[in-house]
Amino acid sequence: NIVVQDILYFSVLNRITTVCYRNGRELEKFEFYSSLSKIEEFLYGKGFVRIHGSYLVGKNYIQEIRKKEVVMSNGDVLPIGRTYSANLRG
């Protein structure tokens, strides 16, 4: 079990979802099968925003929003899809 507040982001590649989260002071990743749509629905109203077809991120862990990417608090740079750029303005 992972505490929702510790999740930085979810990413999907070839139907495998990876969750990047804090475990104490360490960052860890865990893989499982699911769609981002299901995860997004489950986490609705809990501080997550879809930034790309393949990424769902925790708003609290966004360090910087650039024109076409976001920088996460751990230094990971994730792309912003054109379809989802309006999600970050609200």
Side-chain angles (χ1 to χ4, degrees):
N1 288 343
I2 301 170
V3 179
V4 172
Q5 291 83 357
D6 290 342
I7 298 172
L8 278 74
Y9 63 88
F10 294 90
S11 64
V12 171
L13 180 63
N14 298 328
R15 297 185 322 192
I16 297 173
T17 300
T18 302
V19 57
C20 179
Y21 64 98
R22 291 197 181 282
N23 186 1
R25 298 182 141 250
E26 301 294 316
L27 278 180
E28 295 189 15
K29 293 187 178 186
F30 175 76
E31 294 181 341
F32 59 98
Y33 285 98
S34 184
S35 72
L36 272 187
S37 298
K38 285 182 184 177
I39 295 167
E40 185 176 22
E41 204 174 293
F42 180 74
L43 294 173
Y44 181 79
K46 294 190 171 133
F48 287 84
V49 62
R50 188 81 172 258
I51 63 163
H52 187 277
S54 299
Y55 292 96
L56 179 67
V57 302
K59 291 179 184 178
N60 293 338
Y61 292 104
I62 296 174
Q63 186 174 333
E64 182 182 352
I65 299 173
R66 298 180 182 158
K67 193 169 189 164
K68 294 185 179 184
E69 59 195 16
V70 296
V71 180
M72 301 302 291
S73 62
N74 67 336
D76 288 357
V77 179
L78 309 176
I80 299 172
R82 280 181 295 202
T83 308
Y84 301 96
S85 62
N87 292 353
L88 291 167
R89 292 193 199 110

